[in-house]
């Protein structure tokens, strides 16, 4: 597997297609794709940690809620995620420690303003041994 995520073009939105060997990898790589859309290749250090706990109806809903939490941390606290450690993850819940740092206008170059994570064409699936997700963002 050579890529962790790719950005998808859409007439009014941007999408993230993420890959991994597990559902945990897909959630992590989806979040990295979201931060890439916001901050590009900016170097983000791991000097702060935030805890995220989510419950959802199913894994698709949980992916949207997960990414909206990452986006909320950025919007409300200017927190940019660089890494994540999952304490547990299932089809309906997750608990994770998210590492990163606060946005610094000298250090970080912002690319796009993401308004929300949508349910448009949302998928999470396992094909053979590879997990894949697709989610679109309102920008």
């Amino acid at each position: 597997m050579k890529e962790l995520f790719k950005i998808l073009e859409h007439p009014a939105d941007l999408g993230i297609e993420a890959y991994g060997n597990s559902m945990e990898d897909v959630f992590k790589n989806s979040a990295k794709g979201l931060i890439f859309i916001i901050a590009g290749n900016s170097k983000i250090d791991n000097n702060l940690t935030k805890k995220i706990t989510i419950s959802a109806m199913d894994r698709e809903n949980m992916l949207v809620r997960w990414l909206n939490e990452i986006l909320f941390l950025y919007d409300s606290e200017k927190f940019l995620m660089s890494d994540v450690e999952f304490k547990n993850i299932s089809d309906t819940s997750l608990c994770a420690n998210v590492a990163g740092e606060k946005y610094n206008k000298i250090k970080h170059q912002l690319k796009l303003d993401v308004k929300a994570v949508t349910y448009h064409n949302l998928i999470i699936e396992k094909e053979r041994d590879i997990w894949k997700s697709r989610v679109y963002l309102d920008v």
Side-chain angles (χ1 to χ4, degrees), residues 74-130:
Y74 171 71
D75 286 340
S76 66
E77 301 178 26
K78 296 302 180 207
F79 178 82
L80 291 168
M81 182 209 90
S82 61
D83 202 10
V84 60
E85 178 188 345
F86 288 97
K87 298 299 182 188
N88 64 47
I89 186 168
S90 72
D91 284 351
T92 58
S93 68
L94 71 75
C95 181
N97 289 328
V98 179
E101 69 178 319
K102 290 206 178 231
Y103 165 70
N104 177 330
K105 66 181 179 181
I106 296 169
K107 183 178 179 182
H108 305 119
Q109 185 175 20
L110 299 182
K111 288 175 55 179
L112 280 176
D113 183 31
V114 176
K115 297 175 190 165
V117 182
T118 74
Y119 289 89
H120 176 72
N121 287 337
L122 175 65
I123 63 160
I124 299 178
E125 60 189 11
K126 185 176 181 183
E127 295 177 359
R128 298 183 200 108
D129 292 335
I130 302 297

Side-chain angles (χ1 to χ4, degrees), residues 3-117:
E3 56 188 347
L4 302 177
F5 65 86
K6 67 180 175 181
I7 306 305
L8 306 172
E9 299 286 334
H10 188 272
D13 302 323
L14 278 180
I16 303 165
E17 196 166 272
Y19 311 94
N21 294 319
S22 65
M23 191 170 77
E24 185 176 299
D25 289 344
V26 165
F27 273 63
K28 181 178 186 173
N29 295 333
S30 295
K32 286 186 174 198
L34 173 61
I35 295 301
F36 175 80
I37 288 171
I38 294 169
N41 286 321
S42 295
K43 168 98 171 82
I44 303 168
D45 292 323
N46 293 342
N47 55 25
L48 288 174
T49 302
K50 305 285 182 176
K51 183 177 180 179
I52 297 177
T53 303
I54 297 172
S55 296
M57 297 179 298
D58 54 34
R59 62 183 174 215
E60 289 82 7
N61 184 264
M62 193 167 64
L63 178 62
V64 171
R65 294 190 65 190
W66 161 248
L67 293 175
N68 274 323
E69 283 293 318
I70 300 294
L71 183 59
F72 175 78
L73 286 173
Y74 171 71
D75 286 340
S76 66
E77 301 178 26
K78 296 302 180 207
F79 178 82
L80 291 168
M81 182 209 90
S82 61
D83 202 10
V84 60
E85 178 188 345
F86 288 97
K87 298 299 182 188
N88 64 47
I89 186 168
S90 72
D91 284 351
T92 58
S93 68
L94 71 75
C95 181
N97 289 328
V98 179
E101 69 178 319
K102 290 206 178 231
Y103 165 70
N104 177 330
K105 66 181 179 181
I106 296 169
K107 183 178 179 182
H108 305 119
Q109 185 175 20
L110 299 182
K111 288 175 55 179
L112 280 176
D113 183 31
V114 176
K115 297 175 190 165
V117 182

